[in-house]
């Protein structure tokens, strides 16, 4: 019965066809029907509805394209049989009452009872959402489900607050932010991002079949292995341009889990939140546990539209300084040039070269402090190495300023080397189990940010650094995962709270630092892309996707990244050739064009560049400044993916006002002299006229200098690309 109910919505109502093009969105609408007990939230082209059945259980009624206001959504069905609860699309299932499917919340009470059955109590409608209060059948356990819908993108922000109003402490063993129910079907295709160090964000795809797919991190941080993100397409026919896709992103920078489950009735639900592995969060009477936020959206227009919605939403609502964060400055970073061998002289020399090609921010990476000559010592001792910088950082910073750039500095606040003053003074500050060996990774330990003393110390260190020096930017690194996750200072029953309290401590530190220094910008880096998620993106201005700076590998990493995250936040450096990761040689133009698809940075040893390299760099950076708003904040079209199996790939960015479009094209290798295929731009006005101008490379002979949007979109752009790793880019400007 319930199965039929959800299917009925999926097939019957969607056929009505409700979607409009992106950007033509209506305002958000929130309603509650007291007769059917159905809540409806609509925004953009999306609608989400759930209701209360006659037993007080909350069930999803609909999630898809926006419906007519006059459409009536029926009340969810009662659950009459035991175990039928597994067949119902519960909004937020407590583990109890015979539930076999994935639960959202699991609690063990002091008396051993572990049965939790949540029932509707009340709700509060807001302008942009609703809060719904649930309560257990018999115990004073309250759960508030929070829903907020974005008027433009229809993206929902969902989270839950668990509250103990009983008289005894109980232990939360699983706490999800939300469960998402999709119409029953055996056709879904799951896409997700998997990877490893130097190979992050590889797009994977699989059919959703009976059972569960678990995406997770057990590492204390977000991790390189999976991004906390999913996309579920209605079937395998969904493309970049067409078809229904549901997607979601969990905003949490600690251990997390997303489970995509197809039950025996072919119902699919996605559950995500704190990772229940090794998890226990005792709540005393009167205490609450807030979950992270799980964002979710839906589009009828394929994966391309999904990414554009996510990107828009992240710039408006996630990144600091939304709704219109400034485009990122062109940055230089010293890591690949000087590694730990930084000195006042070599950094000044690099700064001069960087300024000469148009760099706006100079960042000194690892190696500037204490006894840091390699990764074995000094981490955690945040005082300037007087041998390398006899008069402190001031002379270098002044030089950087005189050259017209602002100054940034690398830090790794959460970590310490065993060989450091701070560890010798406070060996008990690291995450560890008492009396057990603590594993090292990159010769370092993890400080326990759940400890107030650690938080205070780190704030004082960072605040002093930023106050005493004119620092505009911190690259905040974190080069290892946790091991032996003990917190011996806490009562035994509370020690597993570390998974939550550490991340809260980390967020609090970022927040406090930003509050005290509102102009300070921060990059989230974690041994490459180990900490990229919407939680950290709310507190940082950009992220470092990977230590792999090979421009061809980056095409794949950037392609994967773009499925889930905005290019505004995606830092991409041009480094030296051959690349250190795989010794591949590529031209400087190719390296620039690869990096110019995100937030451009330079990471090469500029002191070794020839006059010709310098001229190329100056030209490319000037070009980049002309297109960066469009690249970082425009609409991205993945015209030909580097994963497509073709030797060719191409991307396009169209500015918000439609006046500028930029098309990039890459030929990976050429065989038998076949010409590169054409790029077919999208998102232009077919009736408007556009002039074309090359940013780099050539178009084939006979390409007109101006033509209609229809011409460019249908006849395409034929770039003249030859040999291996060749690239080109062109700008299309709409005529007034
Ligand atoms: C790892 C980062 O990802 C690199 O960019 C660099 O900052 C090193 N750490 C420095 O130790």
């Amino acid at each position: 019965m319930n199965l039929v109910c959800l299917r009925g919505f999926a097939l019957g109502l969607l056929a009505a066809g409700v979607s409009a093009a992106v950007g033509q969105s209506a305002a958000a609408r929130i309603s509650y029907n007291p007769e059917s007990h159905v809540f409806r939230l609509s925004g953009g082209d999306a609608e989400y509805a759930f209701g209360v059945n006659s037993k007080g259980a909350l069930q999803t009624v609909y999630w898809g394209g926006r419906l007519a206001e006059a459409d009536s959504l029926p009340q969810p069905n009662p659950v009459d049989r035991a175990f039928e609860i597994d067949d119902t699309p519960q909004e937020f299932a407590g583990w109890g009452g015979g539930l076999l499917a994935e639960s959202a919340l699991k609690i063990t009470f002091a008396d051993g009872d572990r049965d939790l059955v949540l029932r509707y109590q009340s709700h509060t409608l807001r302008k942009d959402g609703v809060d719904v209060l649930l309560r257990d059948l018999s115990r004073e356990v309250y759960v508030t489900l929070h829903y907020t819908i974005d008027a433009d993108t229809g993206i929902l922000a969902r989270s839950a607050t668990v509250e103990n109003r009983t008289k005894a402490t109980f232990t939360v063993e699983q706490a999800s932010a939300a469960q998402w129910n999709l119409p029953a079907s055996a056709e879904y295709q799951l896409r997700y991002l998997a990877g490893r160090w130097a190979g992050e964000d590889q797009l994977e795809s699989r059919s959703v079949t009976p059972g569960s797919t678990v995406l997770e991190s057990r590492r204390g941080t977000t991790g390189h292995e999976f991004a906390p993100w999913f996309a579920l397409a209605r079937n395998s026919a969904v493309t970049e341009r067409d078809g229904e896709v549901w997607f979601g992103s969990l905003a949490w920078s600690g251990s997390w889990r997303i489970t995509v489950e197809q039950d025996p009735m072919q119902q699919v639900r996605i559950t995500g939140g704190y990772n229940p592995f090794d998890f226990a969060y005792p709540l005393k009477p009167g205490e609450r546990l807030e979950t992270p936020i799980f964002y979710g959206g839906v589009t009828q227009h394929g994966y391309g539209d999904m990414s554009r919605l996510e990107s828009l939403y992240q710039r408006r609502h996630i990144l600091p300084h939304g709704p219109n964060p400034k485009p990122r400055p062109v940055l230089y970073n010293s890591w690949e040039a000087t590694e730990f061998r930084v000195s006042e002289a070599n950094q000044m020399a690099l700064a001069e070269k960087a300024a000469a090609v148009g760099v706006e921010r100079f960042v000194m990476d690892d190696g500037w402090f204490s006894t840091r000559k390699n990764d074995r010592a000094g981490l955690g001792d945040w005082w300037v190495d007087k041998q390398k910088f006899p008069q402190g950082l001031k002379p270098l910073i002044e030089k950087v300023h005189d050259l017209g750039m602002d100054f940034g500095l690398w830090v790794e606040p959460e970590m310490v080397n065993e060989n450091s003053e701070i560890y010798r003074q406070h060996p008990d500050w690291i995450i560890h189990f008492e009396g057990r060996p603590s594993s090292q990774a990159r010769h370092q330990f993890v400080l326990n940010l759940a400890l107030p003393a650690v938080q205070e110390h780190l704030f004082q260190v960072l605040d002093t650094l930023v106050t005493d020096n004119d620092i505009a930017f911190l690259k905040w690194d974190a080069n290892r995962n946790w091991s032996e996750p003990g917190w011996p200072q806490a009562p035994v029953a509370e020690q597993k709270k570390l998974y939550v309290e550490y991340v809260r401590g980390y967020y609090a530190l970022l927040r406090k630092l930003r509050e005290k220094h509102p102009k300070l910008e921060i990059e989230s880096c974690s041994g490459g892309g180990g900490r990229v998620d919407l939680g950290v993106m709310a507190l940082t201005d950009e992220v470092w996707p990977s230590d792999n700076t090979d421009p061809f590998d980056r095409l794949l990493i950037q392609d994967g990244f773009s499925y889930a995250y905005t290019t505004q936040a995606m830092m991409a450096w041009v480094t030296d050739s051959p690349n250190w990761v795989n010794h591949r040689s590529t031209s400087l133009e190719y390296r620039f064009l690869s990096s110019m698809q995100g937030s451009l940075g330079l990471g090469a040893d500029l002191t070794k560049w020839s006059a010709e390299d310098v001229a190329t760099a100056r030209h490319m950076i000037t070009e980049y400044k002309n297109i960066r708003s469009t690249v970082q904040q425009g609409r991205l079209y993945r015209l030909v993916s580097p994963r497509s199996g073709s030797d060719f790939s191409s991307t396009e960015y169209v500015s918000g006002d439609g006046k500028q479009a930029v098309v990039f094209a890459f030929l990976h290798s050429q065989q038998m002299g076949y010409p590169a295929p054409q790029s077919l731009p999208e998102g232009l006005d077919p009736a408007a006229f556009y002039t074309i101008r090359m940013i780099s490379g050539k178009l084939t002979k006979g390409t007109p200098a101006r033509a209609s949007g229809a011409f460019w979109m249908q006849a395409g752009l034929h770039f003249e690309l030859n040999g291996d790793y060749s690239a080109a880019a062109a700008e299309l400007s709409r005529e007034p």
Side-chain angles (χ1 to χ4, degrees), residues 89 152 220 225 271 298 347 349 364 376 409 440 470 492 640 719:
D152 296 315
E225 289 70 22
T271 306
V298 60
Q347 296 305 293
M364 177 162 62
R376 291 173 176 269
L409 195 62
Q440 297 192 24
D470 196 346
V492 172
V640 183
F719 291 102

Side-chain angles (χ1 to χ4, degrees), residues 335 340 365-366 410 442 475 477 479 525 527-528 544 547 573:
W335 175 244
F340 298 101
D365 209 282
D366 200 349
W410 178 95
R442 213 193 188 209
K475 173 177 170 184
D477 207 344
N479 277 296
C525 168
W544 179 233
D547 280 348
W573 301 345

Side-chain angles (χ1 to χ4, degrees), residues 144-157:
T144 309
L145 304 184
H146 311 282
Y147 299 80
T148 302
I149 193 158
D150 176 41
D152 296 315
T153 59
I155 289 180
L156 282 149

